[in-house]
Amino acid sequence: MSDVDTSEAKRRRNKRWPEALKREIVSATSRPGASVSVVARQYDVNANQVFAWRRRFLAEATSAMPALVPVMIKPESDEKPQPAVGDTIEIEVGGDCRVRVGSDFDARALKRVLDLLRKR
């Protein structure tokens, strides 16, 4: 005779988690300093399940992003257009540094600056 109890009370039941609650749990894991295992314990869910939800939501988010951006190519003219007053670009390097460049910048100097900032 077997000592295994197969009664309904002893069997592990799969919980059904509402979509909104899954997203709330995954969102809680993305806060600074958050630990997936700690968040999982707070919500009484297996940490592996939370990781699976994170992968699913990340895949959904990346598949919803457009892969291509429309581009218009205009033929070059012999005349160099005069830069507008607000004709500048802003380059963010490493999330903590920005370089603003006007249309009359020296490309070699800009390359040197960007190379130095990347090495920091």
Side-chain angles (χ1 to χ4, degrees):
M1 188 156 182
S2 173
D3 291 327
V4 177
D5 187 355
T6 59
S7 68
E8 188 68 27
K10 290 286 182 179
R11 273 192 229 160
R12 184 176 182 160
R13 292 183 171 208
N14 290 334
K15 291 184 180 179
R16 296 211 182 262
W17 297 89
E19 190 72 14
L21 185 56
K22 290 178 189 178
R23 291 185 184 278
E24 178 184 319
I25 294 169
V26 168
S27 176
T29 66
S30 64
R31 293 186 188 120
S35 161
V36 171
S37 61
V38 171
V39 171
R41 273 183 264 146
Q42 290 171 343
Y43 285 92
D44 193 29
V45 62
N46 185 299
N48 290 330
Q49 181 65 66
V50 176
F51 280 113
W53 292 337
R54 284 170 47 138
R55 279 190 303 275
R56 188 182 102 204
F57 294 143
L58 178 63
E60 287 174 5
T62 55
S63 69
M65 284 192 248
L68 301 174
V69 177
V71 175
M72 283 184 57
I73 300 175
K74 295 182 179 180
E76 280 190 42
S77 67
D78 292 335
E79 277 185 42
K80 185 176 178 182
Q82 293 298 320
V85 174
D87 198 9
T88 61
I89 60 171
E90 184 172 290
I91 303 168
E92 189 167 352
V93 182
D96 63 340
C97 184
R98 286 192 190 122
V99 178
R100 288 190 183 101
V101 181
S103 60
D104 57 343
F105 68 92
D106 177 3
R108 288 156 114 197
L110 177 61
K111 183 181 179 334
R112 286 194 304 268
V113 169
L114 292 175
D115 288 344
L116 288 171
L117 290 173
R118 281 190 201 115
K119 290 178 184 176
R120 294 190 301 138

